[in-house]
Amino acid sequence: EKEPVTILITGAAGQIGYALVPMIARGIMLGQDQPVILHLLDIEPAAEALNGVKMELIDSAFPLLKGILATTDVAEACEGVDVAIMLGGFPRKDGMERKDVMSKNVAIYKAQASALGQYASPNCKVLVVANPANTNALILKEFAPSIPEKNITCLTRLDHNRALGQLAERLNVFATDVKNVIIWGNHSSTQYPDVNHATVSTCRGQKPVRQIIADKNWLDTEFIATVQQRGAAIIKARKLSSALSAASAACDHMRDWVLGTRKGTWVSMGVCSDGSYGIEPGLFYSFPVTCAKGQWSIVQGDCAPSTIFMWCMINLRNFISSSIVTMAGLKIDEFSRSKMDATEEELKLERTLARSCLNT
Ligand code: NDP
């Protein structure tokens, strides 16, 4: 039997946490042969509810679950963890300004970064879910310098899965028949769901989605808006934010990262930009990635002269190393470029706001 993997879940008494812990304990995240130990962290006011979750986990007698720690002590929760799923965050309440929520959350991520850096296993893989997810991940990276930057990611897989779901519904096929959509940028309403490289399986093989769906207008407007606003639509219907789909996407994200993506398939992950596609290095931005041997790599890009020039200007060293391995890649048209730039701009603004919150 394999050694257990220790998984931290922050905000574990919340609603995503409640959906996520049984999925992990059933092997949906790391595999049916992988025993796990769960470290559940929440804040003092949620301690009793957290203990309730622990009681239900005990009552489920999950065969793969080899230990449960439920605690409100950050240091204890981070001790020896191999995987950290960060759900804990301050929710936006009525009347709160964007800056107020940002200020609460960056302070939380700064403190948790220090604890992870100090107590987690040196190769711990981190997934940030709590909003603003990309910027929380950036703060975590800045305050946990001992964690390799490639080990910090944020969740855009739910948006990716929502895009697959919308296309599958429209085409009346299974979600597994559609692949290689891309979510670019921020996990917010400026994200850009891109179908230009997506394909669908047909009886005549894989065909580009744009060839099968002739209604260009639907793809360029309604489809994008539906994916961007799906979170709000769920809240309207359920009177609560999405939880089971968010938990399922977190499992997909970690499973593909650790166990690898399928050949010929990429997924979307929020990762620290290396300058690919002209996105400012250091920003946490969602890209198409493939994963192998526990490492993600950005699906490499367009070799159009203008893109090569842009890469050169932004990051000469990256340009040289990327150009060797990328002779074929994803072509970015003008429509995509403007949407990719707009979501990048929002991330730069969030970064400025986050840093100003930390300085005041
Ligand atoms: P949820 O479990 O519903 O959500 C957790 C976080 O995930 C929220 O920040 C939420 O952002 C975010 N999120 C990201 N993507 C999605 C998505 N697609 N759908 C839904 N949520 C998404 O929140 P709860 O309030 O139920 O639970 C949060 C827990 O965190 C609580 O148990 C609370 O006690 C704890 N907490 C911890 C703090 C700390 O560590 N210091 C501080 C405050 C709370 P959004 O709000 O934008 O939906």
Side-chain angles (χ1 to χ4, degrees):
E1 194 175 70
K2 287 182 167 176
E3 280 292 300
V5 167
T6 303
I7 305 174
L8 164 68
I9 299 156
T10 74
Q15 36 146 17
I16 300 179
Y18 193 70
L20 181 62
V21 286
M23 292 183 190
I24 300 176
R26 280 199 177 277
I28 289 171
M29 181 179 275
L30 296 180
Q32 298 298 328
D33 60 344
Q34 180 58 66
V36 292
I37 294 171
L38 292 179
H39 283 193
L40 311 178
L41 174 70
D42 216 302
I43 48 176
E44 205 51 55
E48 205 182 338
L50 187 68
N51 196 42
V53 175
K54 178 179 176 182
M55 287 157 69
E56 286 206 73
L57 284 170
I58 294 170
D59 295 349
S60 303
F62 291 114
L64 289 172
L65 187 54
K66 302 300 179 192
I68 314 163
L69 170 74
T71 180
T72 55
D73 181 316
V74 184
E76 191 188 15
C78 292
E79 184 67 47
V81 302
D82 306 300
V83 169
I85 314 289
M86 316 297 284
L87 306 176
F90 204 89
R92 183 165 176 163
K93 294 188 180 146
D94 273 353
M96 267 175 101
E97 295 282 334
R98 195 178 147 83
K99 190 171 174 14
D100 301 332
V101 191
M102 180 73 86
S103 151
K104 296 260 185 210
N105 281 310
V106 293
I108 293 169
Y109 278 80
K110 182 180 170 186
Q112 294 189 344
S114 311
L116 277 172
Q118 230 179 314
Y119 302 106
S121 103
N123 204 26
C124 177
K125 285 184 160 60
V126 183
L127 165 61
V128 179
V129 177
N131 281 315
N134 300 52
T135 299
N136 287 340
L138 180 104
I139 298 302
L140 208 133
K141 184 197 110 180
E142 290 184 358
F143 290 94
S146 63
I147 300 179
E149 85 184 16
K150 280 214 129 197
N151 286 24
I152 301 174
T153 63
C154 68
L155 189 74
T156 51
R157 184 61 176 270
L158 177 54
D159 309 298
H160 181 101
N161 288 349
R162 283 168 172 166
L164 295 178
Q166 288 304 308
L167 293 171
E169 288 283 299
R170 170 85 184 196
L171 291 165
N172 203 17
V173 298
F174 299 119
T176 45
D177 293 332
V178 189
K179 65 175 189 174
N180 295 353
V181 295
I182 303 167
I183 303 298
W184 298 101
N186 199 0
H187 170 66
S188 76
S189 57
T190 66
Q191 63 173 261
Y192 169 45
D194 178 357
V195 295
N196 289 339
H197 313 280
T199 60
V200 55
S201 327
T202 68
C203 50
R204 282 165 288 121
Q206 294 284 326
K207 296 278 175 203
V209 162
R210 283 212 180 263
Q211 201 175 311
I212 303 290
I213 301 181
D215 188 349
K216 184 174 176 321
N217 189 42
W218 181 82
L219 284 172
D220 290 344
T221 56
E222 203 180 320
F223 163 77
I224 294 178
T226 304
V227 175
Q228 288 172 336
Q229 289 154 24
R230 187 70 164 178
I234 303 281
I235 293 176
K236 191 156 177 278
R238 237 171 62 86
K239 318 285 180 274
L240 283 170
S241 58
S242 41
L244 90 82
S245 52
S248 178
C251 288
D252 287 346
H253 175 114
M254 283 311 308
R255 187 199 54 234
D256 286 347
W257 187 5
V258 173
L259 301 175
T261 42
R262 284 216 312 245
K263 201 167 179 290
T265 303
W266 66 66
V267 295
S268 304
M269 275 170 73
V271 298
C272 188
S273 172
D274 60 356
S276 293
Y277 297 94
I279 302 305
E280 187 179 308
L283 276 183
F284 273 76
Y285 191 94
S286 179
F287 287 100
V289 301
T290 54
C291 305
K293 300 194 179 110
Q295 298 268 350
W296 52 262
S297 353
I298 297 174
V299 174
Q300 277 307 332
D302 188 352
C303 286
S306 60
T307 312
I308 291 178
F309 179 72
M310 207 149 52
W311 279 359
C312 254
M313 300 310 289
I314 289 176
N315 190 331
L316 189 58
R317 209 184 46 190
N318 270 331
F319 162 68
I320 292 165
S321 58
S322 329
S323 64
I324 295 164
V325 289
T326 59
M327 291 326 288
L330 307 180
K331 213 166 159 45
I332 306 298
D333 64 15
E334 241 174 81
F335 178 82
S336 297
R337 188 74 249 170
S338 70
K339 296 215 168 303
M340 287 162 68
D341 291 348
T343 189
E344 180 189 14
E345 278 312 304
E346 185 186 49
L347 283 167
K348 289 186 196 163
L349 287 174
E350 279 189 15
R351 180 181 58 190
T352 307
L353 189 59
R355 287 186 177 152
S356 77
C357 291
L358 288 171
N359 291 332
T360 51

